[in-house]
Amino acid sequence: DSGVTQTPKHLITATGQRVTLRCSPRSGDLSVYWYQQSLDQGLQFLIQYYNGEERAKGNILERFSAQQFPDLHSELNLSSLELGDSALYFCASSARGMTGELFFGEGSRLTVL
Amino acid sequence: AQKVTQAQTEISVVEKEDVTLDCVYETRDTTYYLFWYKQPPSGELVFLIRRNSFDEQNEISGRYSWNFQKSTSSFNFTITASQVVDSAVYFCALSQAYNNAGNMLTFGGGTRLMVKP
């Protein structure tokens, strides 16, 4: 158990809809990262937050947005969903200074029909 | 641009065999980090190792060992005396090593290792 909690584990929705994925980082970790894993694109970095502020952006679509709340949990919002958005979305957190040592949650598997 | 290539998409071995997973990377940075992560059937990614580009010493941890060769831009991972529990997808990853970019990982496509009893 990594200590990172993601909900929901599975989500099935239709094209055009909007969903919110939730992540609670490990206790004490200020950084939260979102990654997308799909068959086509592999594992891709989406976005990073540190203590409530956006720190880095990767290949995140404009239809996607994220935020980190004062209690450090994070949400990834996916809107106007397309079939190609079907993927496993991972949240990860890290301790300050431990570069690259990310603790990943079990992921939220999104299926867009 | 950074790139990580894991040419072996799938490897199958019999228990107790040694197996090496290859990783080749591309980066223009002089300082960077390399990583290996394991994704077991349960799905979550598990950190295995981080290597700084300045440190070319090989590392051994139990049955796991890593061979970093800057000259060939490779960071290979060997499992000695493989076990069924080693069955997983293994990802090699690369990141820049400045500011907070060290946690923006560029992953390879992964190698699925199947260890048969």
Side-chain angles (χ1 to χ4, degrees), chain A residues 33 35 37 43 45 48 55-56 90 94 98-102 104-106, chain B residues 33 35 37 39 42-45 47 50 91 95 100 102-105 107:
Chain A
Y33 311 80
Y35 281 81
Q37 185 177 29
L43 262 166
F45 168 74
Q48 177 202 354
R55 273 295 176 92
F90 284 107
S94 70
M98 298 302 290
T99 304
E101 185 172 353
L102 302 182
F104 283 81
E106 293 185 346
Chain B
Y33 291 105
F35 309 84
Y37 275 81
Q39 187 175 34
S42 54
E44 79 283 7
L45 286 138
F47 170 85
R50 175 184 64 238
F91 291 93
S95 76
N100 200 32
N103 290 330
M104 291 168 52
L105 305 179
F107 283 91

Side-chain angles (χ1 to χ4, degrees), chain B residues 5-55:
Chain B
T5 302
Q6 296 178 251
Q8 307 148 308
T9 54
E10 201 168 287
I11 300 175
S12 181
V13 299
V14 176
E15 207 170 17
K16 297 184 184 176
E17 285 185 8
D18 298 347
V19 58
T20 295
L21 309 182
D22 298 333
C23 172
V24 174
Y25 62 92
E26 296 174 29
T27 180
R28 293 181 181 175
D29 295 323
T30 54
T31 306
Y32 49 89
Y33 291 105
L34 293 162
F35 309 84
W36 278 94
Y37 275 81
K38 174 181 179 180
Q39 187 175 34
S42 54
E44 79 283 7
L45 286 138
V46 179
F47 170 85
L48 294 178
I49 189 171
R50 175 184 64 238
R51 174 63 71 213
N52 185 304
S53 55
F54 288 135
D55 182 2

Side-chain angles (χ1 to χ4, degrees), chain A residues 31-35 45-50 53-60 66, chain B residues 96 98-105:
Chain A
S31 283
V32 169
Y33 311 80
W34 288 96
Y35 281 81
F45 168 74
L46 295 179
I47 197 165
Q48 177 202 354
Y49 279 83
Y50 178 81
E53 293 188 3
E54 181 185 304
R55 273 295 176 92
K57 247 181 180 178
N59 299 321
I60 187 166
Chain B
Q96 297 168 319
Y98 56 86
N99 297 331
N100 200 32
N103 290 330
M104 291 168 52
L105 305 179

Side-chain angles (χ1 to χ4, degrees), chain B residues 40-114:
Chain B
S42 54
E44 79 283 7
L45 286 138
V46 179
F47 170 85
L48 294 178
I49 189 171
R50 175 184 64 238
R51 174 63 71 213
N52 185 304
S53 55
F54 288 135
D55 182 2
E56 290 194 63
Q57 279 193 333
N58 292 331
E59 180 154 341
I60 298 175
S61 176
R63 296 184 297 106
Y64 294 173
S65 62
W66 291 271
N67 182 353
F68 175 31
Q69 292 198 343
K70 213 167 180 178
S71 60
T72 57
S73 297
S74 66
F75 186 42
N76 296 337
F77 173 28
T78 297
I79 301 175
T80 303
S82 60
Q83 300 176 2
V84 173
V85 293
D86 295 328
S87 297
V89 181
Y90 291 87
F91 291 93
C92 181
L94 168 70
S95 76
Q96 297 168 319
Y98 56 86
N99 297 331
N100 200 32
N103 290 330
M104 291 168 52
L105 305 179
T106 298
F107 283 91
T111 297
R112 180 178 299 278
L113 174 65
M114 293 178 291

